[in-house]
Amino acid sequence: MSILDAIIQGIVQGLTEFLPVSSSGHLAITQHILGSGGESNLFFNVMLHVGTLVAVVAFYYKLIWSLIKELFSMIKDIFTGKFKWSQMNYERNLIMMLIIGLIPLFLLFLPIPGTDMKIKDIADIISESPILLATGISLLLTSVLLFVGISFNKRNCNRKQKLKYLRGANGISASGKESYNALDAILVGLTQLCAALLPGLSRSGSTLAVGEMRGINKQKALDFTFVLGIPSILAAALLEGVDAIKSPQGINVDPIVLIVGIIVSAVVGYLSIVIFKWFLKSDKMSIFVIYTAIVGIAITIISLVEMNTGVNLFTGAPINI
């Protein structure tokens, strides 16, 4: 792999990890076009995820630090009998909802009856396929979820504005709920589980959409999505890192290429968070609905053609289906 390949893939990973367009899907598409995919590229992919992890921690460091301090305070209150669920502040509520939201990910380690595989192995099978049909269909699903989320957000805002007008109440927010409850967190967690299995289903886009469907303030929903992604990305990087080290190819990436990829994905990832929050605040999310629909349709058609011809349309290499 060249430094140019590392820069391209770092940009793709950094942009798509946080924008609602699916990093795993776009990384698969990029590697398919460059002909650089496969198990030999596994460790490099892991390190690109580490780069984006650095980006989200750097962006949310104040919130993360406040959550860490509140966590220790909450643990102290639990052991001294002072903790009360009904009297949690925003930070404590967020900590509990993050924990609940992460629980569904443990389903990835459940065995599949009649096989020696676990549920998480489904993602490996899909991602290792030389055909990107699943990626194309998942991108279309991302587009649908984003559209539904936008529609729910607009409907919830309109309803709350009408209630505020009719009641004359100054305390009603037209932007939605400020915090999650347990059911909200579970639904978001289950959505994140689906995103972990399907390359092309955007984790940030789908979990944001579910939050909006549940009536959560869109900015709070986005913050929850990004912070929830920290342990998720870290766990995925650790698991995939172990698999990469154990693979026959092992760690076979030039250190300079690796460092360039990490730095590029971190810098671009930070900028993509800023861009995403601006798009959400400016109500310009429809662009991602259109984009994921167009790319999803294109990749689906290309995949069907490649299945018919048995040849990678970009590299000309034969495809073993």
Side-chain angles (χ1 to χ4, degrees), residues 9-320:
Q9 293 187 44
I11 291 173
V12 171
Q13 172 65 27
L15 274 176
T16 58
E17 179 66 47
F18 302 114
L19 294 181
V21 295
S22 176
S23 63
S24 59
H26 277 71
L27 205 56
I29 293 169
T30 302
Q31 292 172 356
H32 186 78
I33 294 172
L34 296 175
S36 59
E39 200 171 79
S40 61
N41 212 37
L42 181 58
F43 185 74
F44 183 72
N45 291 350
V46 172
M47 298 314 293
L48 290 183
H49 279 84
V50 171
T52 51
L53 179 63
V54 170
V56 72
V57 170
F59 189 91
Y60 282 102
Y61 75 93
K62 290 183 180 179
L63 176 59
I64 293 170
W65 179 239
S66 69
L67 291 178
I68 292 173
K69 292 190 293 184
E70 193 61 42
L71 175 62
F72 284 106
S73 176
M74 186 174 70
I75 292 173
K76 178 183 176 182
D77 286 351
I78 290 173
F79 280 101
T80 57
K82 297 179 180 180
F83 175 80
K84 292 184 180 180
W85 183 279
S86 60
Q87 297 180 3
M88 290 190 297
N89 58 22
Y90 175 75
E91 285 78 14
R92 290 194 179 187
N93 173 267
L94 183 55
I95 291 170
M96 295 304 297
M97 295 308 108
L98 288 171
I99 293 171
I100 293 173
L102 288 170
I103 291 174
L105 288 180
F106 288 97
L107 295 175
L108 290 169
F109 301 97
L110 289 179
I112 301 174
T115 71
D116 59 352
M117 298 193 308
K118 297 177 181 179
I119 292 178
K120 73 180 185 69
D121 295 327
I122 296 175
D124 295 332
I125 294 172
I126 296 174
S127 62
E128 291 173 5
S129 172
I131 297 295
L132 300 180
L133 183 60
T135 300
I137 294 174
S138 298
L139 281 167
L140 291 173
L141 180 57
T142 296
S143 179
V144 172
L145 285 172
L146 287 172
F147 176 79
V148 174
I150 292 171
S151 300
F152 267 79
N153 181 67
K154 288 181 179 179
R155 189 182 71 177
N156 290 334
C157 287
N158 290 337
R159 184 173 67 246
K160 290 179 182 294
Q161 286 172 340
K162 288 179 181 178
L163 285 172
K164 181 177 180 180
Y165 175 77
L166 292 173
R167 297 176 182 176
N170 294 324
I172 297 177
S173 171
S175 57
K177 297 189 298 182
E178 294 292 315
S179 59
Y180 284 71
N181 58 36
L183 180 57
D184 298 332
I186 289 173
L187 290 174
V188 169
L190 289 172
T191 305
Q192 183 170 239
L193 172 65
C194 295
L197 294 173
L198 297 173
L201 180 60
S202 168
R203 188 195 66 82
S204 60
S206 58
T207 53
L208 171 65
V210 170
E212 289 179 317
M213 292 178 205
R214 295 292 299 169
I216 306 294
N217 173 295
K218 59 186 181 182
Q219 288 292 335
K220 295 294 183 182
L222 186 62
D223 291 344
F224 183 83
T225 288
F226 284 154
V227 177
L228 182 67
I230 294 174
S232 304
I233 296 172
L234 179 60
L238 289 174
L239 291 173
E240 292 175 3
V242 172
D243 290 341
I245 294 172
K246 291 181 178 179
S247 69
Q249 288 78 12
I251 304 172
N252 60 345
V253 183
D254 186 315
I256 300 299
V257 172
L258 197 63
I259 292 172
V260 169
I262 294 172
I263 293 175
V264 172
S265 66
V267 173
V268 176
Y270 188 95
L271 294 175
S272 72
I273 296 175
V274 176
I275 293 170
F276 193 179
K277 291 181 76 69
W278 179 82
F279 271 103
L280 194 64
K281 184 177 181 180
S282 305
D283 291 324
K284 299 182 184 297
M285 290 293 293
S286 296
I287 189 172
F288 297 114
V289 176
I290 298 170
Y291 174 79
T292 49
I294 292 174
V295 176
I297 292 171
I299 294 301
T300 300
I301 294 173
I302 290 171
S303 298
L304 292 174
V305 173
E306 290 183 341
M307 289 175 66
N308 184 55
T309 62
V311 175
N312 183 316
L313 295 181
F314 300 97
T315 65
I319 294 176
N320 297 319

